[in-house]
């Protein structure tokens, strides 16, 4: 009796724990611990509105984005293995000219380090301005030389030295008070001004900012906190809308929702996989995994909505947001499948694809501000909402089908679990999802054509990104026709679905790697290697899937034991 | 022979039953069997796979050639020779190429396959209506691409501040214009098509007082200033060639984005009859002004330019704007305010052309395509497109989307009904 109650309670306990975690992180982001009166109130300072890279944002975002660009991290340490400190502390120290001692320039090229006679700091690779400033002239000369080499002929060294020069420029602009633009358009001015420009202009607010920063430099905590408070009060009166908008973004920054989602997806994955092991509690674990995944989806969805509110745009505006959105879509599809089949597979699909795409997004975020402004051509919410969103959903569906294909092959070859019934179920999943993928990728691609017709006068131009989208459509059509024609059966559909992963990855990233076109809004050299690894891994799975079926564990197991050890629930 | 044999024995089927059943229906059914073979889903899948590969390499090849060259060679062709370096994705640099079916061939075969399938396999029913709609939509789309490929004309109009222009430049056709001003309003112009220049050699024309000898023709080039101390200086040159040198560049690759080819040529002019050398001139599409050539007491003007197609209406540029995001160089919007004057139709109106907001007039559409990159741009460029098939994709998209919704929707409803029971 008590065992039965325990069985009923277990899934709900896990879900409740997830929900509590959720509430705790939201609460902590919403009301961060107030600093003592003897500490600088950097929390309040961090949510002051400033302008950088064309948009109004909290100064905390400027700190995070710049640190991310220079250092590849959103926090920093004073020395290797030292305690982590917040980005805003680095920024304010830098603004008052005290940032030169922090190792925040990430330099990973051994040739550059070698010439500068700096040690190769394994697992850290970060250097302070003090360490590199004597080489500044040389760095800019080298960057200038590299700049004159055609893009495709540049070596890794050339690319990295140019990158370092750009980073130094960013740093120098901060130190010189030329960025960000901190003085708002009040007192008859139309534009935001940097501290330096405001000072040259004798703008009254320049003194306010100098007051805050010099109090900070003199370690006058009382004066600093008082100035920040007064300035906030002033802004609350003059520009309440901007102030509440940036406060919201500050909250979003502190929440770091996608990191939290990542932790939760890992837990979901663990629960669902353990739930596959045939033992007395597997059903309860699968239920718990499903419930927790739903809770995570709530957080993931809220985070997406928050981003849309901050940016005032549909969900996908750049490569980073496409990754976040693809992850979200995969989770939705995975959970729908779980809801229908209740066999733990959908939860695994959701957790793995949700987690992986957030990991990809995390890496993509390192190129800068993920809420950046849109290029002129892309500046249209209607087409971003329709074409981009639908095409991205097409990617989602193709990836989900491909991932179920991987599960089919790996479960079949590596475990005894893939019996006739599960084969059938997985195939229905793949088929259904590919039908959706075809519908979405076709509609999305054609809508893209209509957008192109509206803005450039040609429906179809055979440009690389368009071709990538077309390839997904053709591939999905191929799979469907091969199945309808009986050319492939269960295994063949699974193998073809894995092929869809390669095509989708090509369309999503590969064409951006070919070079720069109108569509190529996010090129990252390191990504080429990851693309290569991904394609190789998918080809490996395909090769495993093509092994003779006698070698599949599930097949030999089926012969040995006619009653399978694991039975998914009936449809 | 067969025919007489059959007619000779019609009343005795029992005598030669094998013969009639073995050959006669077979012969009669041969077209049907052939149609069935063509209609096979196996053929469809193979054609899809071939198309996929074509699209893939048609993308890769844009690393080395312009997007329109790639389209002509790969997608609007029957056969394409794919170089091995492209096939190997630029990892092998060996000569040689592999013949491969081009876009028009594959498209035609897919169309044949589809029509054959409908002829032999599909019966119209509610259950199948979605598929019919999808396939019909796809046919419309393929025909749309065919119409676009064959009949659409893409050009551009470049307007400087305050300027009025009544012609469209054809993007892909160049011409050498040799003009003799007669009076303030009339010119006497001889036009030599770009493809003749490209062939090279000596070009003669009865109306010209000189022959044009093509010394060098460059599909794409960069103009660089002559270094007075450098050895590259060419003292034979006349005109702008004394100050600028054209450096040959490979054709702009499709993946380079909006880079267009800047053709240039070195032309040696020789007076007719006497053979007197009038000097070597550098002409290029990027030079905005024609150059003067003096022959005796007459002045001729020469210019390499895009082929002009004159229109019965005029666009006047009133002003242009290039908006950027606050404190950045990221463009936010480009727009051109123009006055459209069409005397035949009595139209005279102001139009603001901006990104995603074109002007449509007399079957042509004018899009904001580019603008000089500076804070005070000197010129704006409008893309001008006439495409009689422009509506076809819209119909097609609607048909296919509705078809898929019907087809997959029927399946989904049936499936969910079963799964959730």
């Amino acid at each position: 009796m008590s065992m039965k109650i325990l069985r009923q309670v277990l899934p709900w306990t896990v879900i409740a724990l997830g929900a509590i975690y959720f509430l705790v992180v939201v609460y902590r982001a919403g009301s961060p611990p107030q600093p003592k009166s003897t500490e600088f109130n950097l929390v309040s300072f961090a949510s002051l509105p400033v302008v950088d890279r064309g948009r109004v944002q909290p100064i905390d975002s400027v700190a995070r984005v710049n640190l991310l660009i220079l250092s590849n991290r959103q926090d920093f340490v004073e020395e290797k293995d030292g305690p982590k400190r917040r980005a805003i502390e680095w920024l304010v120290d830098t603004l008052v000219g005290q940032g030169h001692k922090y190792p925040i320039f990430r330099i990973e090229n051994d040739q550059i380090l070698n010439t500068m006679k700096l040690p190769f700091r394994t697992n850290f690779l970060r250097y302070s301005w003090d360490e590199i400033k004597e080489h500044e002239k040389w760095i800019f000369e080298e960057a200038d030389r590299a700049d004159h080499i055609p893009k495709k002929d540049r070596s890794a060294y050339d690319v990295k030295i140019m990158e370092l020069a750009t980073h130094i420029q960013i740093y120098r602009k901060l130190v010189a008070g030329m960025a960000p633009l901190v003085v708002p358009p009040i007192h008859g001015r139309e534009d935001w001004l940097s501290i330096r420009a405001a000072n040259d202009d004798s703008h009254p607010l320049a003194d306010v900012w100098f007051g805050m920063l010099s109090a900070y430099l003199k370690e006058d905590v009382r004066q600093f906190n008082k100035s920040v408070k007064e300035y906030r009060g002033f802004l609350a009166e003059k520009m309440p809308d901007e102030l509440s908008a940036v406060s919201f973004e500050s909250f979003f920054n502190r929440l770091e929702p996608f990191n939290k989602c990542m932790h939760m997806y890992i837990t979901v994955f663990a629960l669902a996989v353990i739930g596959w092991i045939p033992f007395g509690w597997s059903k309860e674990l699968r239920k718990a995994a499903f419930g927790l995944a739903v809770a995570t989806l709530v957080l993931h969805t809220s985070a997406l909505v928050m981003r849309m509110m901050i940016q005032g745009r549909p969900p996908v505006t750049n490569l980073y947001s496409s990754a976040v959105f693809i992850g979200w879509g995969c989770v939705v599809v995975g959970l729908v499948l779980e809801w229908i089949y209740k066999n733990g597979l959908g939860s695994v699909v959701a957790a793995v694809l949700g987690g992986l795409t957030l990991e990809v997004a995390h890496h993509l975020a390192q190129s800068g501000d993920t809420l950046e402004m849109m290029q002129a051509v892309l500046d249209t919410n209607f087409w971003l909402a329709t074409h981009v969103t639908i095409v991205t959903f097409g990617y989602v569906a193709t990836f989900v089908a491909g991932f179920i294909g991987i599960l089919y092959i790996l479960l079949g070859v590596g475990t005894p679990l893939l019996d006739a019934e599960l084969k059938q179920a997985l195939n229905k999943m793949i088929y259904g999802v590919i039908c959706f993928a075809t519908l979405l990728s076709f509609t999305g691609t054609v809508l893209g054509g209509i957008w192109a017709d509206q803005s450039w006068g040609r429906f179809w131009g055979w440009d690389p990104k368009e071709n990538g989208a077309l390839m997904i459509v053709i591939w999905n059509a191929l799979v469907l026709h091969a199945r309808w024609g009986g050319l492939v059966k269960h295994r063949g559909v699974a193998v073809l679905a894995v092929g869809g992963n390669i095509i989708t990855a090509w369309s999503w990233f590969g064409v951006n790697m070919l070079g720069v076109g109108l569509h190529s809004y996010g090129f990252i050299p390191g990504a080429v290697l990851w693309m290569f690894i991904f394609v190789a891994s998918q080809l490996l799975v395909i090769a495993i899937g093509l092994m003779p079926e006698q070698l599949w564990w599930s097949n030999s197991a089926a012969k040995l034991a006619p009653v399978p050890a694991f039975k998914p629930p009936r449809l | 022979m067969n025919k007489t044999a059959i007619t000779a024995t019609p009343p005795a089927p029992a005598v030669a039953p094998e013969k009639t059943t073995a050959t006669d229906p077979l012969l009669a059914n041969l077209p049907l069997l052939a149609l069935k073979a063509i209609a096979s889903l196996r053929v469809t899948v193979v054609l899809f796979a071939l198309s996929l590969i074509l699209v893939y390499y048609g993308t890769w090849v844009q690393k080395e050639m312009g997007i329109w060259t790639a389209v002509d060679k790969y997608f609007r062709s029957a056969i394409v020779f794919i170089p091995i370096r492209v096939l190997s994705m630029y990892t092998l640099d060996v000569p040689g190429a592999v013949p491969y079916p081009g876009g028009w061939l594959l498209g035609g075969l897919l169309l044949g396959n589809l029509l054959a399938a409908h002829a032999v396999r599909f019966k119209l029913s509610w259950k199948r209506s979605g598929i019919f709609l999808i396939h019909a939509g796809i046919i419309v789309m393929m025909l749309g691409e065919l119409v676009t490929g064959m009949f659409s004309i893409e050009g551009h109009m470049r307007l400087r501040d305050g300027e009025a222009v009544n012609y469209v430049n054809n993007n892909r056709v160049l011409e050498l214009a040799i003009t003799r001003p007669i009076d303030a309003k009339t010119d006497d112009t001889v036009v030599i098509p770009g493809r003749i220049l490209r062939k090279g050699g000596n070009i003669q024309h009865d109306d010209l007082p000189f022959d044009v000898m093509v010394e060098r023709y460059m599909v794409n080039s960069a103009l660089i200033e002559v270094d007075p101390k450098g050895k590259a200086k060419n003292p034979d040159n006349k005109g702008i060639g004394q100050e600028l040198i054209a450096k040959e560049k490979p054709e702009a690759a499709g993946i380079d984005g909006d880079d267009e080819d800047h053709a240039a040529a070195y032309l040696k002019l020789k007076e007719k009859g006497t053979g007197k050398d009038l000097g070597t001139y550098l002409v290029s599409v990027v030079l905005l002004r024609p150059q003067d050539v003096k022959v005796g007491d007459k002045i001729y003007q020469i210019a390499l330019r895009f082929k002009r197609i004159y229109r019965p209406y005029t666009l006047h540029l009133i002003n242009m704007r290039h908006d950027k995001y606050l404190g950045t160089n990221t463009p936010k919007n480009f727009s051109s305010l123009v006055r459209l004057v069409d005397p035949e139709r009595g139209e005279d109106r102001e139009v603001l052309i901006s990104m995603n907001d074109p002007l449509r007039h007399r079957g042509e559409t004018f899009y904001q395509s580019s603008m000089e990159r500076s804070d005070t741009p000197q010129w704006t460029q409008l893309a001008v497109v006439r495409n009689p098939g422009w509506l076809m994709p819209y119909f097609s998209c609607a048909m296919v989307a509705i078809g898929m919704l019907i087809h997959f929707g029927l399946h989904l409803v049936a499936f969910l009904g079963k799964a959730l029971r």
Side-chain angles (χ1 to χ4, degrees), chain A residues 51 53-55 181 191-192 313 339-341 373-377 379-380 383 428 431 435-436 438-439 442-443 446-447 450-464 467-468 470-472 474-475 477-478 480-482 484-485 487 503 506 511 513-518 571, chain B residues 41-42 44-45 48-49 51-52 55-56 58-60 62-63 67-68 71 75-76 131 135 138 141 145 154 254-257 325-328 330-334 355-358 360 365 367-368 383 385 387 390 393-394 396-397 400-401 404-405 407-408 411-412 415-416 418-421:
Chain A
V51 164
R53 294 179 172 83
R55 73 180 185 92
L181 309 181
D191 295 336
W192 286 73
R313 296 249 177 230
W339 177 57
I340 296 174
Y341 286 93
M373 305 312 280
M374 310 291 299
Q375 292 277 342
V377 188
D379 185 13
T380 137
W383 292 111
K428 276 194 177 157
Y431 174 69
C435 288
F436 269 109
T438 314
L439 172 67
F442 178 85
T443 315
V446 175
L447 281 172
I450 290 177
W451 180 7
D453 184 58
Q454 300 275 322
S455 7
W456 307 301
R458 52 159 194 67
F459 173 75
W460 191 258
W462 301 101
D463 124 329
N467 288 351
L470 177 65
M471 283 170 68
I472 298 186
I474 297 180
W475 183 259
L478 183 150
L480 291 181
H481 285 83
W484 291 328
L487 305 180
I503 309 260
W506 166 256
V511 293
M513 292 169 190
L514 270 180
V516 184
L518 199 56
L571 298 182
Chain B
L41 271 168
R42 209 172 280 266
T44 317
V45 170
F48 276 148
S51 310
L52 195 76
V55 175
Y56 182 67
T59 311
W60 267 102
Q62 291 180 27
K63 257 179 109 70
I67 203 160
W68 290 110
V71 168
F75 303 119
R76 291 178 184 164
I131 296 206
H135 285 164
I138 295 214
M141 176 159 301
E145 173 61 14
E154 289 200 23
I255 58 159
D256 293 343
Y325 286 107
L326 201 55
T328 70
T330 310
K332 186 178 198 304
N333 193 24
F334 300 102
M355 288 267 163
N356 299 328
D357 203 1
R360 294 189 196 267
T365 316
Y367 304 87
Q368 180 68 54
V385 180
N387 180 7
W390 75 280
Y394 289 74
S396 154
C397 174
V400 176
M404 286 199 196
L405 284 177
H407 186 69
F408 296 141
H411 277 260
L412 186 67
F415 168 75
L416 285 180
K418 237 193 292 176
L420 295 176
R421 210 181 315 148

Side-chain angles (χ1 to χ4, degrees), chain A residues 166-484:
Chain A
T166 315
H167 291 176
I168 291 175
Q169 282 170 339
I170 292 172
Y171 175 79
R172 279 201 156 278
K173 271 178 98 174
L174 293 173
V175 175
M178 288 157 69
L181 309 181
V182 296
V183 173
I186 300 175
H187 294 301
R189 291 285 311 212
E190 275 187 13
D191 295 336
W192 286 73
L193 296 174
S194 66
I195 297 185
R196 167 168 289 197
N199 188 40
D200 294 348
D201 231 27
S202 319
H203 195 290
L205 286 181
D207 289 341
V208 175
W209 272 90
F210 273 123
M212 277 190 285
L213 293 179
S214 65
Y216 184 86
L217 186 60
K218 282 184 277 182
E219 300 194 16
D220 185 345
V221 174
R222 223 175 53 83
Q223 181 60 35
F224 177 83
N225 291 353
K226 186 168 161 263
S227 316
V228 172
K229 197 173 172 195
E230 280 173 7
Y231 182 53
R232 284 191 69 90
F234 169 79
L235 291 176
E237 204 174 293
K238 296 281 182 185
M239 41 195 319
D241 296 345
E242 281 89 345
L243 193 65
S244 61
V246 296
S247 299
F248 185 61
E249 188 179 333
S250 275
F251 163 72
F252 182 79
N253 283 346
R254 286 192 299 266
L255 185 59
E256 295 184 338
F258 297 118
N259 280 352
K260 308 289 182 328
C261 288
M262 182 89 110
H263 301 157
M264 288 168 77
Y265 284 131
I266 293 171
T267 319
V268 171
F269 175 72
L271 288 172
V273 167
I274 300 172
W276 277 353
I277 301 170
F279 74 109
W281 289 79
S282 51
K283 200 173 149 202
E284 284 70 23
L285 282 175
R286 290 206 297 268
K287 261 192 193 164
F290 179 70
L292 195 60
V294 172
T296 314
L297 182 64
V298 172
L299 181 59
H300 200 151
T301 313
S302 336
L304 265 180
V305 172
M306 280 192 260
R307 269 184 62 90
M308 289 164 67
M309 285 163 62
I310 293 168
Q311 215 179 1
R313 296 249 177 230
V316 183
T317 54
N318 53 18
L319 212 48
Y320 167 84
S321 50
S322 74
V324 170
F325 189 70
I326 285 177
W328 178 82
C330 290
V331 173
V332 171
V333 178
L335 292 184
V336 169
L337 292 175
E338 182 64 26
W339 177 57
I340 296 174
Y341 286 93
K342 299 183 177 60
N343 58 6
L345 287 171
S347 300
V348 170
V349 169
V352 171
L353 292 181
L356 277 181
T357 48
L358 285 182
E359 179 67 24
V360 168
H362 176 72
H363 286 279
L364 290 172
Q366 282 160 8
S367 58
D369 186 5
T370 63
L371 293 160
E372 69 204 339
M373 305 312 280
M374 310 291 299
Q375 292 277 342
V377 188
L378 303 173
D379 185 13
T380 137
N381 279 349
F382 176 74
W383 292 111
L384 284 173
T386 52
H387 157 66
V388 178
T389 310
I390 294 176
V391 156
T392 314
F393 257 121
Y395 290 181
V396 166
T398 318
F399 271 137
V400 170
F403 189 71
I404 304 173
I406 296 178
L407 281 182
Y408 182 99
I409 292 169
L410 295 185
L411 284 177
V413 175
T415 75
L417 301 176
L418 188 75
D419 57 10
E421 211 170 347
L422 188 59
K423 273 185 186 172
Q424 187 93 26
L426 286 177
N427 250 271
K428 276 194 177 157
M429 286 188 191
I430 297 178
Y431 174 69
V433 174
I434 287 185
C435 288
F436 269 109
T438 314
L439 172 67
L440 294 167
S441 53
F442 178 85
T443 315
T445 305
V446 175
L447 281 172
I450 290 177
W451 180 7
D453 184 58
Q454 300 275 322
S455 7
W456 307 301
R458 52 159 194 67
F459 173 75
W460 191 258
W462 301 101
D463 124 329
K465 198 80 185 175
E466 292 168 346
N467 288 351
L470 177 65
M471 283 170 68
I472 298 186
V473 178
I474 297 180
W475 183 259
N476 283 321
L478 183 150
V479 179
L480 291 181
H481 285 83
R483 187 179 180 276
W484 291 328

Side-chain angles (χ1 to χ4, degrees), chain B residues 79 101 203:
Chain B
I79 295 284
I203 301 163

